[in-house]
Each structure stands twice: as structure tokens, then as C-alpha cells.
Amino acid sequence: WLPRIIAKARLKLRGEMPADLMYGCGGDRPFLRQMKLTLPGFLQLVREAGKDDRRIIEAVKKSGGLA
């Protein structure tokens, strides 16, 4: 789920979210909850990481207790 939500967060941050796509959908919320992250917190993480996917992945793993 992580690659999908990263892409969606980037679209949202750029103001390019298609009308038929939702950030915070029924799949996003449970995934982030499992990783102990919030929707706004994940957006902030993606904003700060820029194009650095590895940084996002490591932060999500750490938050979710996987690292």
C-alpha cells in the first residue's frame, strides 16, 4: 500500500489530485493507523522527504515498529 499512498500524497501536495482519487480513502486510513501515522503527519513526512522514497519508507517502518 505504501507506494500508492506516497504517490497520492505527492499529488495532493502539488494540488494535482484527480477528482476520482481520494487521499485518506478506506485503504489509506487503516494502513497509516497500522503504521501509527496520521493522514496529516504522512503528508508532512512526504513534503519533507521530497523525492527521497527511501527516507519515507524508513520513517514509516520505524513508526510502525518494523525497523
Side-chain angles (χ1 to χ4, degrees):
W1 203 261
L2 187 54
R4 175 181 166 81
I5 196 172
I6 290 171
K8 288 169 63 175
R10 287 181 174 147
L11 286 171
K12 182 157 183 70
L13 288 168
R14 291 193 308 258
E16 299 173 357
M17 182 71 79
D20 62 342
L21 194 59
M22 178 184 165
Y23 177 74
C25 73
D28 298 345
R29 291 186 312 271
F31 172 78
L32 290 176
R33 196 168 28 251
Q34 183 179 3
M35 294 296 116
K36 299 177 179 63
L37 293 166
T38 64
L39 288 164
F42 187 74
L43 276 179
Q44 183 65 34
L45 170 61
V46 172
R47 178 182 290 119
E48 291 171 359
K51 295 182 180 184
D52 188 351
D53 288 350
R54 178 58 43 200
R55 181 174 167 190
I56 297 167
I57 292 165
E58 292 305 316
V60 169
K61 286 170 59 176
K62 183 176 180 181
S63 179
L66 304 173

